[in-house]
């Protein structure tokens, strides 16, 4: 029997884990700097919590867990023979695997409302599961890294989330462009031209300006059924260029009559002005074609693009209202972001941006020459570990070549040798695996030499 | 609709998460000091990987995941109407949730054998799921923290695992007793008295010595069907006292004729002698009544008891042969330990051993007096965060009392105030929430004062 794992799932090897931990730890540290606190929720939720929250398609993509015990008892022959998979799944299963972190978070807030100090700033980094068709870059099990603030309308939350994004990617050493939009501006545009239901068509068409040119954009808008006078009114928005301030100025002129549009402009202006006072390392850009999550975002919308790698959005988020309304707790506004860990992993891989200390494991391997020498190694290693140095001894007194190739395979930068001479002299021969240099040292010198690396 | 979570599962609040992270991070750091590397495996495994590995009872306790799509197609009317829950689960489900970390690890080793440098020292900290009846302290989702070395027979691995246990509990600040035994010694005892199948009965009876006295232990052994002459031979073992060395000396005399028994004594002697040369902070004790995992451990057996809290074993492990034999890769020996995170959590809670910096979140809350003041706060906070201090601002310009009670609820040790006076003077009023002391400071002084805490 040749073992395998379910399609769309992955094992993570030591090197992959070290890289992933570097990503998660960086994000966690920055979240914590801004006062976000971690929570975790169970992998399994009741199906009543999950069903109906992700649309009909989402319901189908939930992994459902078979009830234990005799789940046939309550079923009639007729029901069984109906072979209605969807309906009977409801009888066979009461639990499902988490599909995202948002619905469990909403459920958490409602269940723990009495003990929460609002505004509640939480982050959550856990796997989610979706029975999607697996394909390149799309998995059935993947991690999400969400941070949300609920219970506060203040735009300072938006500002801080942008600072978090900026700090995280600065720490990663990868250049990004943060894109920002506002649902209210999009609503204002649709209002202005009297085409409330066409907002997605409009943003999709505008998004193609660079590729297909103004004429073709206008043609596509006409094809989408937008009348000529509305397309005329849209021209300053399609042609929107310049700095964020210039764009906002144009928008103000165009949307002056739309209350909601002006509100969106005001919000965006506040966020951008505050951020420019504080100062970001990465550019932030008003982008009206940004239209993610239009069915739930109600205010600011964010997205992050990597500048040096061709890849989709690597982080996203926005402001939503009524997160917890589905669980009977209305009126709680929130804003959140989510880092796309798998894509960030690919970006850092492509740009080779992992710091060596983050991905290196053992710092020194002690060669094993036999019981007596091993004992001296064990004592020296105890001192090294006390000094925070990770050390291991090859557990068998195997051939030197075998021990050295173990050090190579694990990418261990130093090898320590205690043979006959070193035993007699009370020293350790430290060999730098990169330079080949070697030198006898006492324990104190050993610690210094390895820690310096 | 009142939301709930499946029975036997838990939400972890920010404070619980901080404590759990402290436990996991401590264990991870120590594992890494000894050259163990982390891996992760998917939550879902194929049922063919899991079934038959945990006994008949274990198969029933697996959480099985319903296949997507039309899982009725392949079933005849007869099969359906048989209502054979166990058999049909095999048709409805191909995947199950991980039941422990050992079987997935064995599967991992076999699948990745070509890329592994043996000996392979891996650790793994992930949740597992069991459809056990939930009860106090027993959950359907819980974390395991395993470290194993496979591909090496060397007893140095046993020694290092004991050092790891000792270091972890030393860092936690909780006193423990490490108990060690050896399956080969138990086999030797059974061999010597010609009662190979009675070894569990014997250890259970001996374990009661302190409670019920020698006479009753002997009576119980007789009741278990052990002949009088065998009980006679067992007397020195039942009465075994003294130091580890004294115990081993007695055992050598009793088990002299059992080759396997003497091998077990020799192994134990090597482990204990090496450890006493290196030196441990916690006592380690040879305990012949330790008989965990007798159906798979083949050499050393370990267990850790907390000395200051009444609770079951908080860590365990042992040497096993043939971990990967079930997946067609025979002859790989291994040894491992597993920290019981939930019980350690309870122990540290009861003894109040969490370092305050491990469980505190935000270090300073900035009070919000309105837009202009908030802007100054945001700038000051940027400097603090650059210095590694976690800071937040109350996002609304709410009543002072509300903002202070938020600081209290989140256990934030400092509150920073930038009001009219501070704006004018370019200072920040820093208030120590514990002492009530407050003092105007510039940003540099602020960083010093908070970092000092």
């Amino acid at each position: 029997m040749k073992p395998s794992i379910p399609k769309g799932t992955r094992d993570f090897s030591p090197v992959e884990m070290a890289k992933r931990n570097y990503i998660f730890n960086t994000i966690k540290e920055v979240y914590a700097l801004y006062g976000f606190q971690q929570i975790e929720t169970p992998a399994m939720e009741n199906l009543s919590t999950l069903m109906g929250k992700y649309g009909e398609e989402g319901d189908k993509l939930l992994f459902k867990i078979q009830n234990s015990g005799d789940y046939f008892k309550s079923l009639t022959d007729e029901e069984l023979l109906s072979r209605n998979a969807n309906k009977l799944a409801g009888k066979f299963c009461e639990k499902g695997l988490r599909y995202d972190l948002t619905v469990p978070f909403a459920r958490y807030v409602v269940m723990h409302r009495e003990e929460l100090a609002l505004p509640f700033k939480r982050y959550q980094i856990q796997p989610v599961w979706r029975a999607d068709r697996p394909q390149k870059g799309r998995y059935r099990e993947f991690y999400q890294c969400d941070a949300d603030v609920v219970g506060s309308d203040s735009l300072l939350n938006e500002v801080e989330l942008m600072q978090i994004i900026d700090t995280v990617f600065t720490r990663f050493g990868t250049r990004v462009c943060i894109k920002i939009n506002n649902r209210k501006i999009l609503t204002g545009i649709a209002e202005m031209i009297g085409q409330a239901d066409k907002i997605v068509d409009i943003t999709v068409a505008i998004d193609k300006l660079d590729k297909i040119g103004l004429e073709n954009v206008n043609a596509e808008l006409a094809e989408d059924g937008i009348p000529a006078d509305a397309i005329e009114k849209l021209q300053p928005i399609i042609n929107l260029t310049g700095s964020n301030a210039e764009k906002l100025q144009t928008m103000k002129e165009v949307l002056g009559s739309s209350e909601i549009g002006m509100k969106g402009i005001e919000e965006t202006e506040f966020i951008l002005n505050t951020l420019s006072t504080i100062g970001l390392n990465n550019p932030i850009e008003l982008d009206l074609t940004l239209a993610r999550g239009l069915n739930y975002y109600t205010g600011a919308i964010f997205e992050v693009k990597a500048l040096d790698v061709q890849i989709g959005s690597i982080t996203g988020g926005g402001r939503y209202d009524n997160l917890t309304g589905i669980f009977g707790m209305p009126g709680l506004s929130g804003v959140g972001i989510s880092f796309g860990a798998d894509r960030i992993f690919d970006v850092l891989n492509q740009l080779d941006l992992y710091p060596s200390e983050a991905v290196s494991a053992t710092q020194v391997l002690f060669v094993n020459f036999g019981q007596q020498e091993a004992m001296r190694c064990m004592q020296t290693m105890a001192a090294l570990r006390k000094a925070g140095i990770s050390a291991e001894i090859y557990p068998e007194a195997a051939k030197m070549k075998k021990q050295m190739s173990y050090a190579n395979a694990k990418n261990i930068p130093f090898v320590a040798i205690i043979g006959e001479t070193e035993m007699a002299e009370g020293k350790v021969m430290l060999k730098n695996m990169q330079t080949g240099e070697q030198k006898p040292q006492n324990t104190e010198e050993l610690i210094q030499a390895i820690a310096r690396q």
Side-chain angles (χ1 to χ4, degrees), chain A:
Chain A
M1 174 205 160
K2 223 178 147 184
S4 62
I5 52 176
K7 62 177 176 183
T9 69
R10 291 166 288 176
D11 284 328
F12 294 111
S13 72
V15 172
E16 287 163 337
M17 277 307 295
K19 291 178 173 180
R20 289 170 63 85
N21 282 337
Y22 167 68
I23 293 172
F24 292 136
N25 289 339
T26 302
I27 294 171
K28 281 182 186 184
E29 276 171 26
V30 177
Y31 280 157
L33 277 183
Y34 285 79
F36 285 76
Q37 295 180 294
Q38 192 174 12
I39 68 162
E40 281 190 6
T41 62
M44 299 186 279
E45 293 276 353
N46 290 322
L47 279 179
S48 55
T49 300
L50 300 176
M51 296 285 280
K53 308 305 189 300
Y54 307 105
E56 214 172 301
E57 197 47 37
D59 282 355
K60 279 191 208 148
L61 298 184
L62 291 171
F63 278 110
K64 300 175 186 77
I65 292 159
Q66 189 115 21
N67 293 340
S68 322
D70 193 2
Y71 47 84
F72 282 101
K73 241 189 302 189
S74 64
L75 292 175
T76 65
D77 289 6
E78 211 183 347
E79 280 176 312
L80 271 178
L81 295 177
S82 76
R83 291 184 158 74
N84 186 333
N86 261 351
K87 202 177 141 202
L88 290 178
K91 301 268 184 178
F92 293 161
C93 306
E94 283 165 2
K95 295 180 286 293
L97 292 180
R98 186 166 58 217
Y99 180 89
D100 70 2
L101 302 179
T102 306
V103 167
F105 174 51
R107 195 263 312 139
Y108 180 96
V109 169
V110 175
M111 268 181 75
H112 301 268
R113 60 212 289 179
E114 302 299 337
E115 70 210 57
L116 292 184
L118 290 185
F120 182 45
K121 300 166 84 167
R122 87 86 171 78
Y123 76 88
Q124 193 169 353
I125 299 181
Q126 290 192 276
V128 301
W129 296 270
R130 297 181 184 179
D132 252 321
R133 191 176 301 274
Q135 48 179 260
K136 194 180 173 301
R138 194 203 280 164
Y139 303 100
R140 292 186 148 190
E141 173 180 65
F142 58 96
Y143 272 73
Q144 291 192 331
C145 314
D146 288 15
D148 291 82
V149 190
V150 296
S152 165
D153 293 324
S154 167
L155 294 170
L156 291 180
N157 298 306
E158 275 84 341
V159 169
E160 293 206 328
L161 289 172
M162 296 307 95
Q163 291 183 271
I164 287 176
I165 288 173
D166 185 61
T167 307
V168 164
F169 288 106
T170 301
R171 290 192 178 193
F172 286 147
T174 176
R175 300 188 312 136
V176 297
C177 177
I178 305 172
K179 306 209 165 205
I180 182 169
N181 194 8
N182 195 300
R183 167 60 185 270
K184 292 178 180 126
I185 295 179
L186 295 179
T187 305
I189 294 171
E191 225 180 67
M192 172 197 68
I193 59 167
Q195 304 282 329
D197 55 327
K198 288 285 184 345
I199 190 63
V200 172
D201 292 335
I202 295 170
T203 57
V204 166
I206 299 179
D207 196 26
K208 294 183 185 166
L209 183 66
D210 285 350
K211 268 188 223 137
I212 63 175
L214 181 60
E215 222 161 298
N216 289 316
V217 168
N218 287 337
E220 188 167 319
L221 289 170
E223 258 170 61
D224 290 336
I226 296 168
D229 62 328
I231 294 178
E232 187 54 39
K233 280 192 199 161
L234 279 175
Q235 293 310 299
I237 288 168
I238 299 174
N239 279 307
L240 201 65
T241 52
S243 68
N244 291 329
E246 286 163 348
K247 286 181 183 172
L248 286 168
Q249 192 47 45
T250 309
M251 300 295 301
K252 276 184 204 167
E253 287 156 20
V254 179
L255 291 185
S257 64
S258 162
E259 197 183 326
I260 189 158
M262 289 305 281
K263 179 84 181 128
I265 291 170
E266 188 194 310
E267 289 180 9
T268 309
E269 206 160 28
F270 176 84
I271 296 168
L272 291 173
N273 285 345
T274 309
L275 284 171
S276 83
T277 306
I278 303 168
L280 293 186
N281 297 308
N282 291 285
I284 183 163
E285 185 191 298
L286 173 61
D287 180 353
L288 291 186
T289 68
L290 184 59
R292 58 182 295 141
L294 276 193
N295 51 337
Y296 50 97
Y297 288 138
T298 54
I301 305 174
F302 324 115
E303 198 168 278
V304 178
K305 299 283 279 183
L307 289 181
D308 302 313
V309 173
Q310 282 286 357
I311 202 163
S313 150
I314 53 177
T315 293
R319 157 99 36 201
Y320 44 82
D321 285 330
N322 211 11
L323 170 76
T324 53
I326 37 170
F327 298 117
M329 186 182 175
L332 205 63
S333 181
V335 56
I337 54 171
S338 184
F339 285 94
D342 283 307
R343 283 189 178 164
I344 292 171
F345 180 87
D346 289 343
V347 169
L348 301 195
N349 257 345
Q350 280 190 49
L351 301 176
D352 197 15
L353 287 176
Y354 295 100
S356 62
E357 69 275 15
V359 290
S360 80
T362 307
Q363 292 167 275
V364 54
L365 175 77
F366 280 72
V367 176
N368 189 334
F369 285 110
Q371 201 168 310
Q372 232 189 325
E373 292 87 352
M375 204 61 76
R376 266 282 310 282
C377 293
M378 297 293 277
Q379 289 170 309
T380 309
M381 286 194 297
L384 263 55
R385 288 166 181 150
K386 229 170 228 161
I389 291 167
S390 61
E392 55 180 306
I393 181 170
Y394 195 85
E396 258 76 44
K399 289 222 175 87
M400 187 70 169
K401 199 181 153 197
K402 197 171 178 186
Q403 302 195 38
M404 295 306 268
S405 67
Y406 176 83
N408 275 325
K410 268 188 102 166
N411 233 332
I412 300 175
F414 288 102
V415 164
I417 296 165
I418 302 182
E420 226 176 297
T421 327
E422 290 80 16
M423 285 290 276
E425 291 173 2
K427 296 257 177 175
V428 178
M429 181 70 79
L430 185 70
K431 176 172 175 161
N432 183 319
M433 291 293 275
Q434 199 133 49
T435 63
E437 211 182 330
Q438 58 182 49
K439 210 172 152 187
Q441 316 208 277
N442 66 31
T443 306
E444 200 38 59
E445 292 164 340
L446 201 62
I447 292 173
Q448 296 298 327
I450 298 171
R452 239 195 339 265
Q453 200 62 7

